Amino acid sequence: NPEAPTTPEPTPGPTDPDAYCYESFTTSQGAFTINDVTLGEGLTYVWMFDSQYSCMKASAYKGGAVPSESWLVSPEINLASATKPAVSFEHCHKFAGTPADELTLWISEDKGANWAQLTIPAYGSNSDYTFVANTIDLTSYVGKTVQIAFKYVSTASHAATWEVRNFKVAEGNGSTTDPSQPD
């Protein structure tokens, strides 16, 4: 589990008044924090704001794949008034060994002390940078305050490039996957 991240200065960006939390990542990392748990040899960062592609990007490739672990963590999200919350985001990646193991989504109810993995329904092809949309049901977290984190892991064999944009927690639209419920 990551240690408590440092908080950057918030940068004004697009907003969504109907969302419990929204960050497009078009102008900055917003109120999200970065926690580099393991920076392999030669790395000074994994996650960064990419102004060219208007997204947050993670990569641990520096002359080759470098083992690392880094988290992109949301601010606290209050779901006290929620009835059917869902998290949605778009992402793309390339060069991952096993995306479902290396590029994951997590949720915490206790300010990051403990994390539970959420299942990302769609990853895309792993051979290009075509963004795919995901929506994950958070109904089991109604009434709670949560944080959501994108966890990037690389190995000496694989260091994916992962891009994330349009993160939103809002009332769900019915086409969601609830990872806490059995199929």
Coordinates of all heavy atoms in Angstrom, one line a residue, residues 85-182:
P85 N -23.6 5.8 -7.1 CA -22.4 6.4 -7.7 C -21.6 5.5 -8.6 O -21.7 4.2 -8.4 CB -21.6 6.8 -6.5 CG -22.0 5.8 -5.4 CD -23.5 5.6 -5.7
A86 N -20.9 6.0 -9.5 CA -20.1 5.2 -10.4 C -18.8 6.1 -10.7 O -18.9 7.3 -10.8 CB -20.8 4.8 -11.7
V87 N -17.7 5.4 -10.9 CA -16.5 6.1 -11.4 C -16.4 5.7 -12.9 O -16.6 4.6 -13.3 CB -15.2 5.6 -10.6 CG1 -15.0 4.1 -10.7 CG2 -14.0 6.4 -11.1
S88 N -16.0 6.8 -13.7 CA -15.8 6.6 -15.1 C -14.5 7.3 -15.4 O -14.1 8.2 -14.8 CB -17.0 7.1 -15.9 OG -17.1 8.5 -15.7
F89 N -13.8 6.7 -16.5 CA -12.6 7.3 -16.9 C -12.3 6.7 -18.3 O -12.9 5.7 -18.7 CB -11.4 7.1 -16.0 CG -11.1 5.6 -15.8 CD1 -10.1 5.0 -16.5 CD2 -11.8 4.9 -14.8 CE1 -9.9 3.6 -16.4 CE2 -11.5 3.5 -14.6 CZ -10.6 2.9 -15.4
E90 N -11.4 7.4 -19.0 CA -10.9 6.8 -20.3 C -9.4 6.5 -20.1 O -8.7 7.3 -19.4 CB -11.1 7.8 -21.4 CG -12.6 8.2 -21.7 CD -12.7 9.3 -22.7 OE1 -11.7 9.9 -23.1 OE2 -13.9 9.6 -23.0
H91 N -9.0 5.5 -20.7 CA -7.5 5.2 -20.7 C -7.1 4.4 -21.9 O -7.9 3.8 -22.6 CB -7.2 4.4 -19.4 CG -7.7 3.0 -19.3 ND1 -6.9 2.0 -18.7 CD2 -8.8 2.4 -19.8 CE1 -7.6 0.8 -18.8 NE2 -8.7 1.0 -19.5
C92 N -5.8 4.5 -22.1 CA -5.2 3.7 -23.2 C -3.8 3.3 -22.7 O -3.2 3.9 -21.8 CB -5.1 4.4 -24.5 SG -4.1 5.9 -24.5
H93 N -3.2 2.3 -23.4 CA -1.9 1.9 -23.0 C -1.2 1.1 -24.1 O -1.9 0.7 -25.1 CB -2.0 0.9 -21.7 CG -2.6 -0.4 -22.0 ND1 -4.0 -0.5 -22.2 CD2 -2.1 -1.6 -22.3 CE1 -4.3 -1.7 -22.5 NE2 -3.2 -2.4 -22.6
K94 N 0.1 0.9 -23.9 CA 0.9 0.2 -24.9 C 2.1 -0.4 -24.2 O 2.5 0.2 -23.2 CB 1.3 1.1 -26.0 CG 1.8 0.4 -27.3 CD 2.0 1.4 -28.4 CE 2.6 0.7 -29.6 NZ 2.8 1.6 -30.8
F95 N 2.5 -1.6 -24.6 CA 3.7 -2.2 -24.1 C 3.5 -2.9 -22.8 O 4.5 -3.3 -22.1 CB 4.9 -1.3 -24.0 CG 5.1 -0.5 -25.3 CD1 5.0 0.9 -25.3 CD2 5.5 -1.1 -26.5 CE1 5.3 1.7 -26.4 CE2 5.7 -0.3 -27.6 CZ 5.6 1.0 -27.6
A96 N 2.3 -3.1 -22.3 CA 2.1 -3.8 -21.0 C 2.3 -5.3 -21.2 O 2.0 -5.9 -22.3 CB 0.7 -3.6 -20.5
G97 N 2.8 -6.0 -20.2 CA 2.9 -7.5 -20.2 C 1.5 -8.0 -20.0 O 0.9 -8.6 -20.9
T98 N 0.9 -7.8 -18.8 CA -0.4 -8.2 -18.5 C -1.1 -7.0 -17.9 O -1.0 -6.7 -16.8 CB -0.5 -9.4 -17.5 OG1 0.3 -10.4 -18.0 CG2 -1.9 -9.8 -17.3
P99 N -1.9 -6.2 -18.8 CA -2.5 -5.0 -18.3 C -3.3 -5.1 -17.0 O -3.1 -4.2 -16.1 CB -3.4 -4.5 -19.5 CG -2.7 -5.2 -20.7 CD -2.2 -6.5 -20.2
A100 N -4.0 -6.2 -16.8 CA -4.9 -6.3 -15.6 C -4.0 -6.5 -14.4 O -4.5 -6.3 -13.3 CB -5.8 -7.5 -15.8
D101 N -2.7 -6.8 -14.5 CA -1.8 -6.9 -13.3 C -1.0 -5.7 -13.1 O -0.6 -5.3 -12.0 CB -0.9 -8.1 -13.5 CG -1.6 -9.4 -13.5 OD1 -2.7 -9.5 -13.0 OD2 -1.0 -10.4 -14.1
E102 N -0.7 -5.0 -14.2 CA 0.2 -3.8 -14.1 C -0.5 -2.5 -14.1 O 0.1 -1.5 -13.6 CB 1.1 -3.9 -15.4 CG 2.0 -5.2 -15.4 CD 2.6 -5.4 -16.8 OE1 2.7 -4.5 -17.6 OE2 2.9 -6.6 -17.1
L103 N -1.7 -2.4 -14.6 CA -2.4 -1.1 -14.7 C -3.8 -1.3 -14.0 O -4.7 -1.8 -14.6 CB -2.6 -0.7 -16.2 CG -1.4 -0.9 -17.1 CD1 -1.7 -0.6 -18.5 CD2 -0.2 0.0 -16.6
T104 N -3.9 -0.9 -12.7 CA -5.0 -1.3 -11.9 C -5.6 -0.1 -11.3 O -5.0 1.0 -11.2 CB -4.6 -2.4 -10.9 OG1 -3.5 -1.9 -10.1 CG2 -4.3 -3.7 -11.6
L105 N -6.9 -0.3 -10.8 CA -7.6 0.8 -10.1 C -8.0 0.3 -8.7 O -8.4 -0.8 -8.5 CB -8.9 1.1 -10.9 CG -9.7 2.3 -10.5 CD1 -9.0 3.6 -10.8 CD2 -11.1 2.3 -11.2
W106 N -7.8 1.2 -7.7 CA -8.0 0.8 -6.3 C -8.9 1.9 -5.6 O -9.0 3.0 -6.1 CB -6.7 0.8 -5.6 CG -5.8 -0.3 -6.2 CD1 -5.1 -0.3 -7.4 CD2 -5.5 -1.6 -5.6 NE1 -4.5 -1.4 -7.6 CE2 -4.7 -2.3 -6.5 CE3 -5.9 -2.2 -4.5 CZ2 -4.2 -3.6 -6.3 CZ3 -5.5 -3.5 -4.2 CH2 -4.6 -4.2 -5.1
I107 N -9.5 1.5 -4.5 CA -10.4 2.4 -3.7 C -10.1 2.2 -2.2 O -9.8 1.1 -1.8 CB -11.9 2.1 -4.0 CG1 -12.7 3.2 -3.4 CG2 -12.3 0.7 -3.6 CD1 -14.2 3.3 -4.0
S108 N -10.1 3.3 -1.5 CA -9.9 3.3 -0.1 C -11.0 4.1 0.6 O -11.4 5.1 0.2 CB -8.5 4.0 0.2 OG -8.3 4.1 1.6
E109 N -11.4 3.5 1.8 CA -12.4 4.2 2.6 C -11.8 4.8 3.8 O -12.5 5.4 4.7 CB -13.4 3.1 3.1 CG -14.2 2.4 2.1 CD -15.0 1.3 2.6 OE1 -15.7 1.6 3.7 OE2 -15.0 0.2 2.1
D110 N -10.4 4.7 4.0 CA -9.8 5.2 5.2 C -8.5 6.0 4.9 O -7.5 5.8 5.5 CB -9.5 4.0 6.1 CG -8.7 2.9 5.5 OD1 -8.1 3.1 4.3 OD2 -8.5 1.8 6.0
K111 N -8.7 7.0 4.0 CA -7.6 7.9 3.7 C -6.3 7.2 3.2 O -5.2 7.7 3.5 CB -7.3 8.8 4.9 CG -8.5 9.7 5.2 CD -8.2 10.7 6.3 CE -9.5 11.4 6.7 NZ -9.3 12.7 7.2
G112 N -6.5 6.1 2.5 CA -5.3 5.4 1.9 C -4.6 4.4 2.8 O -3.6 3.9 2.5
A113 N -5.2 4.2 4.0 CA -4.5 3.2 4.9 C -4.7 1.8 4.3 O -3.8 1.0 4.4 CB -5.1 3.3 6.3
N114 N -5.8 1.5 3.8 CA -6.1 0.2 3.2 C -6.8 0.4 1.8 O -7.6 1.3 1.7 CB -7.1 -0.6 4.1 CG -6.5 -0.9 5.4 OD1 -5.6 -1.8 5.5 ND2 -6.9 -0.2 6.4
W115 N -6.4 -0.4 0.8 CA -6.9 -0.3 -0.5 C -7.6 -1.6 -1.0 O -7.0 -2.7 -0.7 CB -5.8 0.1 -1.5 CG -5.3 1.4 -1.2 CD1 -4.2 1.8 -0.4 CD2 -5.7 2.7 -1.8 NE1 -4.0 3.1 -0.4 CE2 -4.9 3.7 -1.3 CE3 -6.7 3.0 -2.7 CZ2 -5.1 5.0 -1.7 CZ3 -6.9 4.3 -3.1 CH2 -6.1 5.3 -2.6
A116 N -8.7 -1.5 -1.7 CA -9.3 -2.7 -2.3 C -9.3 -2.4 -3.8 O -9.6 -1.3 -4.3 CB -10.8 -2.8 -1.9
Q117 N -9.0 -3.5 -4.6 CA -8.9 -3.4 -6.0 C -10.3 -3.4 -6.7 O -11.1 -4.2 -6.3 CB -8.1 -4.5 -6.6 CG -7.8 -4.3 -8.1 CD -6.8 -5.2 -8.7 OE1 -6.2 -6.0 -8.0 NE2 -6.6 -5.2 -10.0
L118 N -10.5 -2.5 -7.6 CA -11.7 -2.4 -8.5 C -11.3 -3.1 -9.8 O -10.2 -3.0 -10.2 CB -12.2 -1.0 -8.7 CG -12.6 -0.2 -7.4 CD1 -12.8 1.3 -7.8 CD2 -13.8 -0.8 -6.8
T119 N -12.3 -3.7 -10.4 CA -12.0 -4.4 -11.7 C -12.2 -3.4 -12.8 O -13.3 -2.9 -13.0 CB -12.9 -5.6 -11.9 OG1 -12.6 -6.5 -10.8 CG2 -12.6 -6.3 -13.2
I120 N -11.2 -3.2 -13.6 CA -11.3 -2.4 -14.8 C -11.9 -3.2 -15.9 O -11.3 -4.2 -16.3 CB -10.0 -1.8 -15.3 CG1 -9.5 -0.8 -14.2 CG2 -10.1 -1.0 -16.6 CD1 -8.1 -0.3 -14.4
P121 N -13.1 -2.9 -16.5 CA -13.8 -3.8 -17.4 C -13.1 -3.9 -18.8 O -13.0 -4.9 -19.4 CB -15.2 -3.2 -17.6 CG -15.4 -2.3 -16.5 CD -14.0 -1.9 -16.0
A122 N -12.5 -2.8 -19.3 CA -11.9 -2.7 -20.6 C -10.6 -2.1 -20.6 O -10.4 -1.0 -20.1 CB -12.9 -2.0 -21.6
Y123 N -9.6 -2.7 -21.3 CA -8.3 -2.2 -21.4 C -7.8 -1.8 -22.8 O -6.9 -1.1 -22.9 CB -7.3 -3.3 -20.9 CG -7.1 -3.3 -19.4 CD1 -7.8 -4.1 -18.6 CD2 -6.2 -2.4 -18.8 CE1 -7.7 -4.1 -17.3 CE2 -6.0 -2.4 -17.5 CZ -6.8 -3.3 -16.7 OH -6.6 -3.3 -15.3
G124 N -8.5 -2.2 -23.8 CA -8.0 -1.8 -25.2 C -7.0 -2.9 -25.7 O -6.8 -3.9 -25.1
S125 N -6.4 -2.5 -26.8 CA -5.6 -3.5 -27.6 C -4.2 -3.8 -27.1 O -3.6 -4.8 -27.4 CB -5.6 -3.1 -29.0 OG -4.7 -2.0 -29.2
N126 N -3.6 -2.9 -26.3 CA -2.2 -2.9 -25.9 C -1.2 -2.7 -27.0 O -0.1 -2.9 -26.8 CB -1.9 -4.3 -25.1 CG -0.7 -4.2 -24.3 OD1 -0.3 -3.1 -23.8 ND2 0.0 -5.3 -24.2
S127 N -1.7 -2.4 -28.2 CA -0.8 -2.2 -29.3 C -1.0 -0.8 -30.0 O -0.3 -0.5 -30.9 CB -1.1 -3.3 -30.4 OG -2.4 -3.1 -30.9
D128 N -1.9 0.0 -29.4 CA -2.0 1.4 -29.9 C -2.5 2.3 -28.7 O -2.7 1.8 -27.6 CB -2.9 1.5 -31.1 CG -4.3 1.0 -30.8 OD1 -4.8 1.1 -29.6 OD2 -5.0 0.6 -31.8
Y129 N -2.6 3.5 -29.0 CA -3.1 4.4 -28.0 C -4.5 4.9 -28.2 O -4.8 6.1 -28.2 CB -2.2 5.6 -27.9 CG -0.8 5.3 -27.4 CD1 0.3 5.3 -28.2 CD2 -0.7 4.9 -26.0 CE1 1.6 5.0 -27.7 CE2 0.6 4.6 -25.5 CZ 1.7 4.6 -26.3 OH 2.9 4.3 -25.8
T130 N -5.4 3.9 -28.5 CA -6.9 4.2 -28.6 C -7.5 4.2 -27.2 O -7.5 3.2 -26.6 CB -7.5 3.2 -29.6 OG1 -6.9 3.2 -30.8 CG2 -9.0 3.5 -29.7
F131 N -8.1 5.3 -26.8 CA -8.7 5.4 -25.5 C -10.0 4.6 -25.5 O -10.7 4.6 -26.5 CB -9.0 6.9 -25.2 CG -7.9 7.7 -24.7 CD1 -7.0 8.3 -25.5 CD2 -7.6 7.7 -23.3 CE1 -5.9 9.0 -25.1 CE2 -6.5 8.5 -22.8 CZ -5.7 9.1 -23.7
V132 N -10.2 3.9 -24.4 CA -11.4 3.2 -24.1 C -12.0 3.7 -22.8 O -11.3 4.1 -21.9 CB -11.2 1.6 -24.0 CG1 -10.7 1.1 -25.4 CG2 -10.2 1.3 -22.9
A133 N -13.4 3.7 -22.8 CA -14.1 4.2 -21.7 C -14.5 3.1 -20.7 O -14.8 2.0 -21.2 CB -15.4 5.0 -22.2
N134 N -14.5 3.4 -19.5 CA -14.9 2.4 -18.4 C -15.8 3.1 -17.4 O -15.6 4.3 -17.1 CB -13.6 2.0 -17.7 CG -12.8 0.9 -18.4 OD1 -13.2 -0.2 -18.4 ND2 -11.8 1.4 -19.1
T135 N -16.8 2.4 -16.9 CA -17.6 2.8 -15.8 C -17.7 1.7 -14.8 O -18.0 0.6 -15.2 CB -19.0 3.2 -16.4 OG1 -18.9 4.3 -17.3 CG2 -19.9 3.7 -15.2
I136 N -17.5 2.0 -13.6 CA -17.5 1.0 -12.5 C -18.4 1.4 -11.4 O -18.3 2.5 -10.9 CB -16.1 0.7 -12.0 CG1 -15.2 0.3 -13.1 CG2 -16.1 -0.3 -10.9 CD1 -13.7 0.4 -12.8
D137 N -19.4 0.6 -11.1 CA -20.4 0.9 -10.0 C -19.7 1.0 -8.7 O -18.9 0.2 -8.3 CB -21.4 -0.2 -10.0 CG -22.6 0.1 -9.0 OD1 -23.4 0.9 -9.4 OD2 -22.5 -0.4 -7.9
L138 N -20.1 2.0 -7.9 CA -19.6 2.3 -6.5 C -20.7 2.3 -5.5 O -20.6 2.8 -4.4 CB -18.8 3.6 -6.5 CG -17.6 3.7 -7.4 CD1 -17.0 5.1 -7.2 CD2 -16.6 2.7 -7.0
T139 N -21.8 1.6 -5.8 CA -23.0 1.7 -4.9 C -22.7 1.1 -3.5 O -23.2 1.6 -2.5 CB -24.2 0.8 -5.5 OG1 -24.5 1.4 -6.8 CG2 -25.4 0.9 -4.7
S140 N -21.8 0.2 -3.4 CA -21.4 -0.4 -2.1 C -20.6 0.7 -1.3 O -20.4 0.4 -0.1 CB -20.6 -1.7 -2.3 OG -19.4 -1.4 -3.0
Y141 N -20.3 1.8 -1.8 CA -19.6 2.9 -1.1 C -20.5 4.1 -0.7 O -20.0 5.1 -0.3 CB -18.4 3.3 -1.9 CG -17.4 2.2 -2.0 CD1 -17.4 1.4 -3.2 CD2 -16.5 1.8 -1.0 CE1 -16.5 0.3 -3.3 CE2 -15.6 0.8 -1.1 CZ -15.6 0.0 -2.3 OH -14.8 -1.1 -2.4
V142 N -21.8 4.0 -1.0 CA -22.7 5.0 -0.6 C -22.6 5.4 0.8 O -22.5 4.5 1.7 CB -24.2 4.6 -1.0 CG1 -25.2 5.6 -0.4 CG2 -24.4 4.6 -2.5
G143 N -22.6 6.7 1.1 CA -22.5 7.1 2.5 C -21.1 7.2 3.1 O -20.9 7.6 4.2
K144 N -20.1 6.9 2.2 CA -18.7 6.9 2.7 C -17.9 8.0 2.0 O -18.3 8.5 1.0 CB -18.1 5.5 2.4 CG -18.8 4.4 3.2 CD -18.3 3.0 2.8 CE -19.1 2.0 3.6 NZ -18.7 0.7 3.3
T145 N -16.8 8.2 2.5 CA -15.8 9.1 1.9 C -14.7 8.2 1.4 O -14.1 7.4 2.1 CB -15.3 10.2 2.8 OG1 -16.4 11.0 3.2 CG2 -14.2 11.1 2.2
V146 N -14.4 8.3 0.1 CA -13.4 7.4 -0.5 C -12.3 8.2 -1.3 O -12.4 9.4 -1.5 CB -14.1 6.4 -1.5 CG1 -15.1 5.6 -0.8 CG2 -14.7 7.2 -2.7
Q147 N -11.3 7.4 -1.6 CA -10.3 7.9 -2.6 C -10.1 6.8 -3.6 O -10.2 5.6 -3.3 CB -8.9 8.2 -1.9 CG -8.9 9.4 -1.0 CD -7.6 9.6 -0.4 OE1 -7.3 9.0 0.6 NE2 -6.8 10.5 -1.0
I148 N -9.8 7.2 -4.8 CA -9.6 6.2 -5.9 C -8.2 6.4 -6.5 O -7.8 7.6 -6.7 CB -10.7 6.3 -7.0 CG1 -12.1 6.0 -6.3 CG2 -10.5 5.4 -8.1 CD1 -13.3 6.3 -7.2
A149 N -7.5 5.3 -6.8 CA -6.2 5.5 -7.3 C -5.9 4.6 -8.5 O -6.4 3.5 -8.5 CB -5.2 5.1 -6.1
F150 N -5.1 5.1 -9.4 CA -4.6 4.4 -10.5 C -3.2 3.9 -10.1 O -2.4 4.7 -9.8 CB -4.5 5.3 -11.8 CG -5.8 5.7 -12.3 CD1 -6.4 6.9 -11.9 CD2 -6.5 5.0 -13.2 CE1 -7.6 7.4 -12.4 CE2 -7.8 5.4 -13.7 CZ -8.3 6.6 -13.3
K151 N -3.0 2.6 -10.1 CA -1.8 2.0 -9.7 C -1.0 1.5 -10.9 O -1.5 0.6 -11.6 CB -2.0 0.9 -8.7 CG -0.7 0.2 -8.2 CD -1.1 -1.0 -7.3 CE 0.2 -1.8 -6.8 NZ -0.2 -2.9 -6.0
Y152 N 0.2 1.9 -11.1 CA 1.1 1.5 -12.2 C 2.2 0.7 -11.6 O 2.9 1.1 -10.7 CB 1.6 2.8 -12.9 CG 2.6 2.5 -14.0 CD1 2.2 2.4 -15.3 CD2 4.0 2.2 -13.7 CE1 3.2 2.1 -16.3 CE2 4.9 2.0 -14.7 CZ 4.5 1.9 -16.0 OH 5.4 1.7 -17.0
V153 N 2.4 -0.5 -12.2 CA 3.5 -1.4 -11.8 C 4.3 -1.8 -13.1 O 3.6 -2.2 -14.1 CB 3.0 -2.6 -11.1 CG1 4.1 -3.6 -10.8 CG2 2.3 -2.2 -9.8
S154 N 5.6 -1.7 -13.0 CA 6.4 -2.2 -14.1 C 7.4 -3.2 -13.6 O 7.7 -3.2 -12.4 CB 7.1 -1.0 -14.8 OG 8.0 -0.4 -13.9
T155 N 8.0 -4.0 -14.5 CA 9.0 -5.0 -14.2 C 10.2 -4.8 -15.0 O 10.2 -3.9 -15.9 CB 8.4 -6.4 -14.4 OG1 8.2 -6.6 -15.8 CG2 7.1 -6.6 -13.6
A156 N 11.2 -5.6 -14.8 CA 12.4 -5.5 -15.7 C 12.1 -6.0 -17.1 O 12.8 -5.7 -18.0 CB 13.5 -6.3 -15.1
S157 N 10.9 -6.6 -17.3 CA 10.5 -7.1 -18.6 C 9.5 -6.2 -19.3 O 9.5 -6.2 -20.5 CB 9.9 -8.5 -18.5 OG 10.8 -9.4 -17.9
H158 N 8.7 -5.6 -18.5 CA 7.6 -4.8 -19.1 C 7.4 -3.4 -18.4 O 7.3 -3.4 -17.2 CB 6.2 -5.5 -19.1 CG 6.2 -6.8 -19.8 ND1 6.1 -6.8 -21.2 CD2 6.3 -8.1 -19.4 CE1 6.2 -8.1 -21.6 NE2 6.3 -8.9 -20.5
A159 N 7.4 -2.4 -19.2 CA 7.2 -1.0 -18.7 C 6.2 -0.4 -19.6 O 6.6 0.3 -20.6 CB 8.4 -0.2 -18.5
A160 N 4.9 -0.5 -19.3 CA 3.9 0.0 -20.2 C 3.9 1.6 -20.2 O 4.4 2.2 -19.3 CB 2.5 -0.4 -19.7
T161 N 3.3 2.1 -21.2 CA 2.9 3.6 -21.1 C 1.4 3.6 -21.0 O 0.7 2.9 -21.7 CB 3.3 4.3 -22.4 OG1 4.7 4.2 -22.5 CG2 2.9 5.7 -22.4
W162 N 0.9 4.2 -19.9 CA -0.5 4.3 -19.6 C -1.0 5.7 -19.5 O -0.4 6.5 -18.9 CB -0.7 3.6 -18.2 CG -2.1 3.3 -17.8 CD1 -3.2 3.2 -18.6 CD2 -2.6 3.0 -16.5 NE1 -4.3 2.9 -17.9 CE2 -3.9 2.7 -16.5 CE3 -1.9 2.9 -15.3 CZ2 -4.7 2.4 -15.4 CZ3 -2.7 2.6 -14.1 CH2 -4.0 2.3 -14.2
E163 N -2.0 6.0 -20.3 CA -2.6 7.4 -20.3 C -4.0 7.3 -19.8 O -4.8 6.4 -20.1 CB -2.5 7.9 -21.7 CG -1.1 8.1 -22.3 CD -1.1 8.6 -23.7 OE1 -2.1 8.8 -24.3 OE2 0.1 8.8 -24.2
V164 N -4.4 8.3 -18.9 CA -5.7 8.4 -18.3 C -6.2 9.8 -18.5 O -5.5 10.8 -18.3 CB -5.5 8.1 -16.8 CG1 -6.9 8.2 -16.1 CG2 -4.9 6.7 -16.6
R165 N -7.5 9.9 -18.7 CA -8.2 11.2 -18.8 C -9.7 11.1 -18.5 O -10.2 10.0 -18.4 CB -8.0 11.8 -20.2 CG -8.8 11.0 -21.3 CD -8.6 11.6 -22.7 NE -9.4 10.9 -23.6 CZ -9.2 11.0 -24.9 NH1 -8.2 11.7 -25.5 NH2 -10.0 10.3 -25.8
N166 N -10.3 12.2 -18.2 CA -11.7 12.3 -18.0 C -12.2 11.4 -16.8 O -13.2 10.7 -16.9 CB -12.5 12.0 -19.2 CG -12.3 13.1 -20.3 OD1 -12.1 14.2 -20.0 ND2 -12.3 12.7 -21.6
F167 N -11.5 11.6 -15.7 CA -11.9 10.9 -14.4 C -13.2 11.5 -13.9 O -13.2 12.8 -13.7 CB -10.8 10.9 -13.4 CG -11.1 10.3 -12.1 CD1 -10.9 9.0 -11.9 CD2 -11.7 11.1 -11.1 CE1 -11.2 8.4 -10.6 CE2 -12.0 10.6 -9.9 CZ -11.8 9.2 -9.6
K168 N -14.2 10.7 -13.5 CA -15.4 11.3 -13.0 C -16.1 10.3 -12.0 O -16.2 9.2 -12.3 CB -16.4 11.7 -14.1 CG -17.7 12.3 -13.7 CD -18.5 12.6 -15.0 CE -19.8 13.3 -14.7 NZ -20.5 13.6 -16.0
V169 N -16.5 10.8 -10.9 CA -17.4 10.1 -10.0 C -18.7 10.8 -9.9 O -18.7 12.0 -9.5 CB -16.8 9.9 -8.6 CG1 -17.8 9.2 -7.7 CG2 -15.5 9.1 -8.6
A170 N -19.8 10.2 -10.4 CA -21.1 10.8 -10.4 C -22.1 9.7 -10.3 O -21.8 8.5 -10.2 CB -21.2 11.6 -11.8
E171 N -23.4 10.1 -10.4 CA -24.5 9.1 -10.3 C -24.3 8.2 -11.6 O -24.1 8.7 -12.7 CB -25.8 9.8 -10.3 CG -26.1 10.4 -8.9 CD -26.0 9.4 -7.7 OE1 -26.7 8.3 -7.8 OE2 -25.4 9.7 -6.7
G172 N -24.5 6.9 -11.4 CA -24.3 5.9 -12.5 C -25.3 6.0 -13.5 O -26.4 6.5 -13.3
N173 N -25.0 5.3 -14.7 CA -26.0 5.3 -15.8 C -26.6 4.0 -16.1 O -27.2 3.8 -17.1 CB -25.3 5.9 -17.0 CG -24.2 5.0 -17.5 OD1 -24.0 4.0 -17.0 ND2 -23.4 5.5 -18.5
G174 N -26.3 3.0 -15.2 CA -26.9 1.7 -15.4 C -26.0 0.7 -16.2 O -26.1 -0.5 -16.0
S175 N -25.0 1.2 -16.9 CA -24.1 0.3 -17.7 C -22.8 0.2 -16.9 O -21.8 0.6 -17.4 CB -23.9 0.9 -19.1 OG -23.3 2.1 -19.0
T176 N -22.9 -0.3 -15.7 CA -21.7 -0.4 -14.9 C -21.4 -1.8 -14.4 O -22.3 -2.7 -14.5 CB -21.9 0.5 -13.6 OG1 -23.1 0.0 -12.9 CG2 -22.1 1.9 -14.0
T177 N -20.3 -2.0 -13.9 CA -19.9 -3.3 -13.3 C -19.6 -3.0 -11.9 O -18.9 -2.1 -11.5 CB -18.6 -3.7 -14.0 OG1 -18.8 -3.9 -15.4 CG2 -18.1 -5.1 -13.4
D178 N -20.2 -3.8 -11.0 CA -19.9 -3.7 -9.6 C -19.0 -4.8 -9.1 O -19.3 -5.9 -9.1 CB -21.2 -3.8 -8.8 CG -21.0 -3.5 -7.3 OD1 -19.9 -3.5 -6.8 OD2 -22.1 -3.4 -6.6
P179 N -17.7 -4.4 -8.8 CA -16.7 -5.4 -8.5 C -17.0 -6.1 -7.1 O -16.4 -7.1 -6.9 CB -15.4 -4.6 -8.4 CG -15.8 -3.2 -8.2 CD -17.2 -3.1 -8.8
S180 N -17.9 -5.5 -6.3 CA -18.1 -6.1 -5.0 C -19.2 -7.1 -5.1 O -19.5 -7.8 -4.1 CB -18.5 -5.0 -4.0 OG -19.7 -4.4 -4.3
Q181 N -19.9 -7.3 -6.2 CA -21.0 -8.2 -6.3 C -20.6 -9.4 -7.2 O -19.9 -9.3 -8.2 CB -22.2 -7.5 -7.0 CG -22.8 -6.4 -6.3 CD -23.3 -6.7 -4.9 OE1 -23.9 -7.7 -4.7 NE2 -23.0 -5.9 -3.9
P182 N -21.0 -10.6 -6.7 CA -20.7 -11.8 -7.6 C -21.4 -11.8 -8.9 O -22.5 -11.2 -9.0 CB -21.1 -13.0 -6.7 CG -22.1 -12.4 -5.7 CD -21.7 -11.0 -5.5

